Amino acid sequence: MASAQAWSELSAAASKMKATHLRTLLQDQARNDYMYVKCGGMTLDYCREKVDVDTMGKLFSLAEKAGVDTKKQKMFAGERINETEGRPVLHVALRAPRSAVINVDGKNVVPEVWQVLDAMKEFSDKVRSGERVGYTGKPLKDVVCIGIGGSYLGVEFVFEALKTDPAAAAAAEGRRLRFLANVDPIDVKRALDGLSAETTLVVIISKTFTTAETMLNAKTVKEWLIKELGTEACIPKHVVACSTALDKTKAFGIDPANVFGFWDWVGGRFSCWSAVGVLALSLQYGFGVVQQFLEGAHVMDEHFRTAPPTENLPLIMGLLAVWNCSVLGYEGIAVLPYCQALVRFVPHIQQLDMESNGKRVQMDGTVVPVGTGAIYFGEPGTNGQHSFYQLMHQGRAIPAEFIGFAHSQNPVELPGEPVSNHDELMSNFFAQPDALALGKTADELKAEGVPEKLVPHKTFTGDRPSLSLLLPVCNASWLGQLLALYEHRTAVQGWVWGINSFDQWGVELGKVLAKEVRSYLSTARKGPANDSKFISPTKMLLKKYLE
Ligand SMILES: O=P(O)(O)OC[C@H]1O[C@H](O)[C@H](O)[C@@H](O)[C@@H]1O
C-alpha cells in the first residue's frame, strides 16, 4: 500500500483535474499523443480520462511506492503472494510456452502444465474424431459443463466469443456446448433441453469439488444419465471432471483417468486457462484454437512483465481504475464492448474484478484508507446505448471502457448503404466517448434554435471519463490478450491498494447461513422444526414459503 503522503499528493492533483473540463484537457495535443499507447496490434487511447501527463507521473510514482513492480516480479517468480491462503498466483504459468521455467518451491511447474494440456488435446481429439464414444457406441457430440463462478464464467465468455469466429465455428460444426451453473432446477432443464444422453459428455468443473451448487447439479445430471441410459455403468463413458481434488472426484465415481487436474496456485477467476476452460473449449473448437488463446495471453504476460510504465497497458489501466475509484470517487465502471461476440465478457469481468478487489483490509489486516473496487456493469454496444447510456450522459458520471475491433467476425456490406454494417456499429464506438467527454452546451443548443425551455433538458454537461481499446479482430489469439490484460489490470489495482486480490473470504458467510436454512428446510418439510436460529423477519418469510 502506498503511503498516506502519496495519496494526499494525488488528492491535490484531483482538485486540479476536477476543476478542468475534458474539453480543455483534450485541446492539449501533446497530452493526447502521450495517452495513445500501442501494444502490438492493440491500441489504448486514454486521453478522455480525467488526467494530465503530470497526474500520470504521480500515478506511476504511486505504483512504485506501493511496490507494484516487485509484487509483479514475485507473482511471475511463483512466490506465495496470496498470503491469506499461503499460495502462489500462477495463472501465467498456464499459458507459458513448453520451454519456460517457473519454479514453485524449487520445482518447475511448466512440464506438469503441459502434461495436462497434452492429455486434454489427446482426449478432445478422440472425442471429436469419434474414436471415443458414449456407452451405446454413439459419438459424443454434445457437452454439458457443470460449474459455477470461476469454474464457469470465463469458459462461457470464450465459448460465446468464438462461436462466430469463422475458424472456430468451422471447427465446431455439428457440436454443441452447454453450461449448467445455477443450482436452480430451471437451469438443469435449460441445459439439458433437447439433448440425448447417448451423445452427451458431462464435464464437471470444480476446483474444490465441494461447491454446493455444482455438486447438486452434478448429482442431478448423473441421475439423468443413469435414467436415460439405464445403468450406472454408463458414467465412466459420459462423465469427466476438471478439478484439483482428485480424492473427491474418485469418490463421486469418476475414473481417475478421466480427471484433468490443476493446482492450488490457480485462482478460480483466473482459471479458464487451466483444465477449467481448456477441456470444454477444446472439445468444442479443437485444441489448436484454444492453443492460440493461450499464446495470445502469453504475449500480454510478456508485455506486462517487460514494458516500461508509460507503455504498459495493464499498469496504465489498473492505475486509471484506482484513480477513478479511490481519488476521483467514481463508484462504478462500465465495460462496453462494441462486439456482440463479447456478450458474456462483462459477467466474467464482474467476477474477476469485484471478487478480486472487493476488499476492505490490506494484507496486514488494517483497513484500506481509500475506497477500493468498483461496481462493474455493461452490455455490448449498441444495445447499451438504448438502455443505460441515458444515465451515463445526463445522470451519474460513470467511467467507461470502450472495446472495439477493426474487423468484424462477420462482415456484411449491403448495396446502397453508406457504410458496411461493422462501420455502422463502430461509428457508435467512436461517437460515444466524445459525446461523454465533450457534451453539448446551452450556447450550442441555442445557436441551433432549440426552444429556451428545452435547452436544460437537451444540455449534456460532458466531462465524463472513458478510455478506448481497439483490437484487430475478435479471434482466439486477441481474446487471450484481452482477457490477460484485464487480469493484470485487476492485480495492479490490488497491489496499489495493498489488498489481497487473490482470496475471496467475502463469499463464505452467505454459504454458512444457507447451510442453516437448508438443514431447517430439510426438517420442516417433514414436520415441526426449530427456527430459533433465525431472526424474526427471516422466520416470518420462511413460514410463508413453507405454507
Ligand atoms: O471451482 P469451485 O471450487 O467449484 O469454485 C467455484 C467458485 O466458488 C466460489 O463462489 C468462489 O468464490 C469462486 O471464486 C469459485 O470460482
Side-chain angles (χ1 to χ4, degrees):
M1 174 72 180
S3 65
Q5 196 203 336
W7 287 109
S8 69
E9 269 178 46
L10 278 173
S11 47
S15 312
K16 184 181 158 208
M17 283 302 102
K18 279 181 185 165
T20 316
H21 198 286
L22 272 169
R23 269 183 229 126
T24 312
L25 289 173
L26 282 161
Q27 277 166 17
D28 180 347
Q29 193 50 44
R31 167 193 173 274
N32 300 346
D33 291 344
Y34 174 88
M35 295 177 188
Y36 187 85
V37 191
K38 283 194 232 148
C39 159
M42 197 186 293
T43 307
L44 167 68
D45 181 8
Y46 67 96
C47 66
R48 291 170 198 78
E49 293 281 357
K50 295 273 293 175
V51 283
D52 58 12
V53 175
D54 184 50
T55 316
M56 286 312 294
K58 288 194 167 67
L59 286 172
F60 292 130
S61 117
L62 176 79
E64 213 176 292
K65 286 175 191 144
V68 168
D69 198 54
T70 312
K71 290 172 186 170
K72 176 177 80 175
Q73 302 307 341
K74 283 186 178 175
M75 177 179 81
F76 278 97
E79 289 191 32
R80 295 181 187 277
I81 60 166
N82 174 356
E83 292 179 26
T84 58
E85 295 180 318
R87 293 171 184 168
V89 175
L90 268 184
H91 41 281
V92 293
L94 300 170
R95 53 235 191 178
R98 225 179 256 277
S99 56
V101 177
I102 301 174
N103 289 319
V104 173
D105 298 332
K107 186 176 168 227
N108 183 11
V109 297
V110 179
E112 279 177 61
V113 166
W114 275 92
Q115 206 180 343
V116 183
L117 286 174
D118 289 339
M120 289 189 284
K121 178 185 181 317
E122 193 188 328
F123 180 84
S124 57
D125 282 351
K126 281 188 180 158
V127 172
R128 289 170 55 82
S129 68
E131 187 184 333
R132 195 196 149 104
V133 292
Y135 185 69
T136 59
K138 292 200 175 164
L140 295 161
K141 61 183 183 52
D142 299 320
V143 172
V144 176
C145 291
I146 305 177
I148 197 163
S151 293
Y152 154 61
L153 289 160
V155 202
E156 194 189 41
F157 146 58
V158 181
F159 163 66
E160 287 291 341
L162 289 176
K163 234 177 175 175
T164 37
D165 168 62
E173 215 178 312
R175 303 199 59 83
R176 285 187 288 189
L177 181 62
R178 300 273 182 86
F179 295 90
L180 171 53
N182 197 340
V183 77
D184 185 340
I186 296 170
D187 210 15
V188 176
K189 175 105 180 137
R190 291 165 63 108
L192 300 183
D193 189 40
L195 296 186
S196 155
E198 283 186 293
T199 55
T200 301
L201 178 69
V202 176
V203 183
I204 308 174
I205 310 174
S206 177
K207 180 175 167 181
T208 56
F209 229 72
T210 57
T211 304
E213 293 86 343
T214 302
M215 290 303 107
L216 187 58
N217 278 334
K219 286 183 207 158
T220 309
V221 174
K222 189 178 174 185
E223 281 304 301
W224 173 75
L225 286 170
I226 296 171
K227 189 172 155 259
E228 293 290 311
L229 297 172
T231 167
E232 195 152 346
C234 71
I235 298 304
K237 293 270 185 200
H238 287 265
V239 182
V240 302
C242 304
S243 184
T244 58
L246 305 188
D247 50 331
K248 297 194 176 72
T249 53
K250 198 169 174 194
F252 191 84
I254 302 172
D255 183 349
N258 294 338
V259 179
F260 299 90
F262 52 108
W263 305 270
D264 72 352
W265 41 259
V266 181
R269 51 198 175 273
F270 299 89
S271 69
C272 80
W273 323 91
S274 71
V276 164
V278 171
L279 185 65
L281 294 167
S282 299
L283 285 162
Q284 182 67 7
Y285 296 122
F287 184 80
V289 169
V290 180
Q291 197 169 358
Q292 289 166 25
F293 175 62
L294 299 178
E295 285 166 0
H298 179 67
V299 170
M300 183 52 69
D301 293 340
E302 283 304 287
H303 167 80
F304 180 48
R305 201 171 63 78
T306 59
T310 52
E311 291 164 28
N312 196 308
L313 264 56
L315 177 70
I316 295 169
M317 287 178 65
L319 289 172
L320 289 168
V322 168
W323 167 252
N324 283 329
C325 165
S326 301
V327 189
L328 296 183
Y330 298 111
E331 292 188 337
I333 293 183
V335 177
L336 309 168
Y338 277 67
C339 177
Q340 191 61 27
L342 296 196
V343 62
R344 296 295 290 162
F345 182 61
V346 181
H348 181 48
I349 297 306
Q350 279 177 330
Q351 192 211 12
L352 176 62
D353 205 292
M354 292 166 85
E355 195 169 74
S356 297
N357 291 333
K359 310 281 162 70
R360 56 178 273 280
V361 297
Q362 300 169 69
M363 204 63 98
D364 65 4
T366 56
V367 175
V368 191
V370 292
T372 56
I375 304 158
Y376 282 77
F377 72 101
E379 273 291 320
T382 56
N383 294 10
Q385 290 173 204
H386 294 270
S387 165
F388 52 83
Y389 277 40
Q390 165 66 42
L391 180 135
M392 294 174 67
H393 283 292
Q394 287 189 315
R396 292 173 191 276
I398 301 165
E401 302 193 348
F402 289 88
I403 301 168
F405 294 88
H407 303 282
S408 176
Q409 285 179 339
N410 181 39
V412 175
E413 209 149 339
L414 295 182
E417 287 295 328
V419 292
S420 72
N421 295 26
H422 185 65
D423 281 351
E424 176 66 25
L425 167 76
M426 292 300 283
S427 303
N428 293 280
F429 167 86
F430 293 108
Q432 289 291 337
D434 280 349
L436 288 166
L438 307 173
K440 188 149 193 175
T441 64
D443 288 343
E444 285 168 330
L445 289 161
K446 280 178 203 158
E448 284 173 14
V450 171
E452 194 72 40
K453 73 171 194 236
L454 279 183
V455 167
H457 298 279
K458 290 195 159 195
T459 299
F460 291 71
T461 54
D463 205 26
R464 289 153 195 256
S466 71
L467 60 80
S468 301
L469 265 180
L470 185 62
L471 291 85
V473 66
C474 182
N475 63 18
S477 166
W478 286 108
L479 283 167
Q481 289 212 34
L482 178 68
L483 183 52
L485 164 63
Y486 269 82
E487 288 181 347
H488 296 321
R489 163 197 181 282
T490 301
V492 165
Q493 295 169 68
W495 289 334
V496 174
W497 285 318
I499 60 178
N500 185 357
S501 297
F502 306 106
D503 63 11
Q504 56 283 319
W505 302 106
V507 303
E508 295 303 325
L509 179 59
K511 285 188 198 170
V512 173
L513 297 187
K515 226 178 193 167
E516 287 173 5
V517 179
R518 184 187 305 135
S519 105
Y520 168 75
L521 286 176
S522 158
T523 317
R525 288 288 185 199
K526 294 172 212 131
N530 178 0
D531 65 359
S532 60
K533 270 192 181 154
F534 308 114
I535 58 170
S536 58
T538 309
K539 282 182 197 165
M540 263 196 319
L541 206 54
L542 280 168
K543 198 165 154 242
K544 182 76 199 158
Y545 174 66
L546 287 166
E547 255 172 32

